[in-house]
Amino acid sequence: MGITDDFRVSGLKFPDGFVFGAATAAYQIEGAATEDGRGPSIWDTFSHVPGNVENGDTGDVAIDFYHRVDEDLDLVKSLGLSAYRLSIAWPRILPAGTGEINEAGLAFYEKVVDGLIARGIEPIVTLYHWDLPQPLEDRGGWTTRETSYAFAEYARVVGRRLGDRVAVWTTLNEPWCSAYLGYASGNHAPGRRSEIGALQAVHHLNLAHGLALIELRKVVKRPDAKFSVTNNLAMTYAADPANPEDVDAKRQLDALQNRAFTDPQLRGFYPHDLLMDTKHITDWSFVQDGDLELINQPIDIVGINYYCTGTVRRGPEHPTEGTVHPGAACVESVEQPGPYTEMGWNVAPQGLYDLLVATHEAYPEFEIMVTENGAAYRDELVEEDGVKRVHDPERVDYLQRHLVSAHRAIEAGVPLTGYFAWSLMDNFEWAFGYSKRFGIVYVDYATQERTKKDSALWYEKLAETGVIPEA
Ligand code: FCB
């Protein structure tokens, strides 16, 4: 774990056809929050409440992607990427969450998708990257089943319009964040703090995933389209692997973080230990007969977002109300060895390898893609001989080590077919606002000018040759 020189390798070649892409999400980049009939989402509401987001930042303007589609897609093209992962804003399509369709919203994403295809870039679409229409939250949000069915309706509308063009359909991005940060700790929109609410959200997000897949499959027309879901699966280690108590703490967290999503989605059941560990909170009677069959729809690709690792041990009991993980009263996190990114997250390329191998072992029949990986650092725009540059050696180093790790996973037999850098451009980093820069392209927020960082130039070389360049 942590940085070892072992991962500073160049010259490794990825298999032909391996997808190098970059990812973004609607609320983080689009802006135009009230334009062309877009309704409010929970992130509009949440970010406008003072104290919720650093510096009072909101996504009202973001990086103005809504008005800069051509320029930004040219950027993707100039990086030589073969795929671009975007998300669609539900409140642009169905401003009230259900019912009336906003044609301007569909037209906007049609323009983006067509723009990608015209440039030879595959559109990889995520339907839900956290921007729930506010009217649905007002009726209970993800704590209610109604929201799952509303999501299926939304998926059908988008699938009908773009189903002949989109290469990969991803239902949800990181339902862990939506459920636990949204409804347990309240760090993310809608900012609720309810342990049972968060567990209901887990289930209704899973149900939404399954119902949406059923609808998508009815309307998607592109014969080679693939279906997927992206989870931020956690790579957690036991502090002392020889201590059964620590191993059990790891098991408990693994159930809440990972298996609460992957087991129903990919296997059609909730892990027994998850139900036992949370039985003082709920009997899970919100899981109705037939739900697990609905959730467990066939998919092609398991998407994984990976940033850092965790280590846990068995600790003394502490209150869990208002914390991230419901019912994890005796699980204690252990500080990770550095170095750390600007987020305070540890740099641990070995963790990506371990996670990919573990996921493949548990769910061997699926193709896997790393749908997000990247790092925030304090970047500075400089001018050298009249040329604007951003020297970000730490990010280049981070990307190199993680791509070497991904390469090793392929050599170990993991069917990994793609890697998406998070993110194409600096953007609205949720509760951290614009204070954290994850882009490989720098954005000057005052002028909206884009400048490729050194990491973008490095990644461009990789995309062009398929060979890991020197850092
Ligand atoms: C992930 C999110 C993404 C971005 C990165 C840093 O959890 O999916 O939108 O914020 O973290």
Side-chain angles (χ1 to χ4, degrees):
M1 249 195 313
I3 280 197
T4 65
D5 278 339
D6 198 20
F7 284 94
R8 295 209 68 170
V9 180
S10 55
L12 299 174
K13 184 167 183 356
F14 278 84
D16 290 341
F18 188 85
V19 173
F20 294 104
T24 60
Y27 189 71
Q28 297 181 273
I29 64 165
E30 286 178 3
T34 55
E35 264 173 70
D36 294 339
R38 179 185 178 277
S41 82
I42 55 175
W43 270 97
D44 295 292
T45 308
F46 183 81
S47 66
H48 278 267
V49 174
N52 280 348
V53 175
E54 215 167 304
N55 202 30
D57 290 340
T58 73
D60 287 1
V61 176
I63 57 168
D64 200 30
F65 175 72
Y66 195 78
H67 299 114
R68 289 163 197 267
V69 172
D70 282 320
E71 179 196 336
D72 288 342
L73 299 191
D74 284 347
L75 189 60
V76 181
K77 166 98 181 145
S78 80
L79 289 167
L81 305 182
S82 57
Y84 174 64
R85 176 174 179 253
L86 68 137
S87 85
I88 292 188
W90 186 348
R92 280 197 201 283
I93 308 297
L94 300 170
T98 59
E100 204 176 325
I101 298 170
N102 179 35
E103 169 54 33
L106 285 170
F108 172 68
Y109 292 107
E110 187 159 57
K111 178 168 96 179
V112 176
V113 166
D114 287 350
L116 287 166
I117 292 171
R119 290 168 177 82
I121 304 159
E122 288 285 18
I124 312 291
V125 165
T126 300
L127 286 172
Y128 187 69
H129 203 127
W130 309 354
D131 38 7
L132 183 72
Q134 182 63 39
L136 294 180
E137 174 58 26
D138 296 340
R139 298 206 291 275
W142 288 113
T143 67
T144 71
R145 299 175 72 76
E146 189 197 331
T147 300
S148 315
Y149 284 89
F151 184 66
E153 177 184 334
Y154 156 62
R156 184 174 60 240
V157 171
V158 179
R160 248 191 340 235
R161 182 66 163 257
L162 301 175
D164 55 342
R165 282 163 273 187
V166 167
V168 179
W169 290 94
T170 304
T171 52
L172 308 173
N173 174 73
E174 302 193 355
W176 176 91
C177 291
S178 305
Y180 298 127
L181 302 183
Y183 292 85
S185 73
N187 300 110
H188 277 189
R192 290 213 246 161
R193 287 171 163 233
S194 156
E195 293 198 291
I196 186 167
L199 295 172
Q200 287 167 328
V202 166
H203 178 59
H204 296 130
L205 283 152
N206 284 329
L207 183 61
H209 157 79
L211 293 171
L213 282 175
I214 294 171
E215 293 307 319
L216 282 174
R217 282 193 187 273
K218 287 187 206 156
V219 291
V220 163
K221 297 254 165 19
R222 185 173 153 161
D224 62 344
K226 291 187 175 181
F227 299 89
S228 74
V229 61
T230 280
N231 289 294
N232 51 326
L233 298 180
M235 189 59 235
T236 307
Y237 302 94
D240 176 0
N243 179 344
E245 285 293 317
D246 291 359
V247 173
D248 195 56
K250 168 190 152 57
R251 180 220 30 90
Q252 198 176 341
L253 216 59
D254 181 55
L256 282 159
Q257 290 188 290
N258 297 339
R259 288 180 285 117
F261 302 98
T262 50
D263 277 348
Q265 291 164 3
L266 309 177
R267 292 284 177 259
F269 63 84
Y270 278 107
H272 182 69
D273 56 335
L274 171 72
L275 306 184
M276 291 300 104
D277 290 340
T278 54
K279 67 175 191 300
H280 58 291
I281 300 169
T282 172
D283 61 3
W284 289 72
S285 52
F286 45 80
V287 181
Q288 297 186 5
D289 280 356
D291 280 3
L292 283 156
E293 289 74 42
L294 292 172
I295 295 169
N296 181 29
Q297 296 300 313
I299 66 165
D300 306 296
I301 303 170
V302 170
I304 296 179
N305 292 353
Y306 173 83
Y307 290 93
C308 57
T309 55
T311 296
V312 293
R313 66 173 163 232
R314 183 58 77 219
E317 189 160 342
H318 59 81
T320 55
E321 202 63 47
T323 65
V324 173
H325 289 122
C330 305
V331 178
E332 209 173 75
S333 285
V334 176
E335 201 183 314
Q336 297 296 280
Y340 308 101
T341 70
E342 269 293 291
M343 296 294 282
W345 299 346
N346 63 315
V347 179
Q350 180 69 40
L352 176 60
Y353 175 88
D354 292 346
L355 181 61
L356 289 170
V357 169
T359 306
H360 176 56
E361 274 172 8
Y363 308 102
E365 71 271 38
F366 299 102
E367 180 183 335
I368 298 178
M369 284 194 179
V370 173
T371 37
E372 284 180 27
N373 177 241
Y377 288 107
R378 207 183 284 277
D379 299 315
E380 210 188 314
L381 186 66
V382 294
E383 201 157 324
E384 293 168 358
D385 302 328
V387 182
K388 289 193 172 146
R389 298 210 182 275
V390 177
H391 300 304
D392 58 343
E394 290 166 304
R395 187 175 292 102
V396 173
D397 185 72
Y398 182 100
L399 293 178
Q400 184 188 37
R401 290 171 197 275
H402 286 80
L403 279 149
V404 168
S405 176
H407 190 275
R408 287 190 185 154
I410 295 172
E411 287 190 321
V414 175
L416 181 71
T417 57
Y419 174 96
F420 291 77
W422 183 270
S423 178
L424 175 67
M425 299 173 280
D426 295 332
N427 58 47
F428 176 80
E429 178 46 38
W430 308 112
F432 296 92
Y434 299 98
S435 70
K436 300 286 184 274
R437 294 178 176 274
F438 272 93
I440 55 174
V441 173
Y442 183 91
V443 177
D444 180 336
Y445 295 120
T447 62
Q448 297 291 3
E449 191 185 354
R450 278 74 161 135
T451 304
K452 285 181 188 174
K453 303 179 191 177
D454 287 351
S455 54
L457 302 173
W458 181 88
Y459 196 55
E460 196 174 317
K461 257 189 245 161
L462 170 62
E464 189 190 333
T465 60
V467 176
I468 297 184
E470 272 182 30

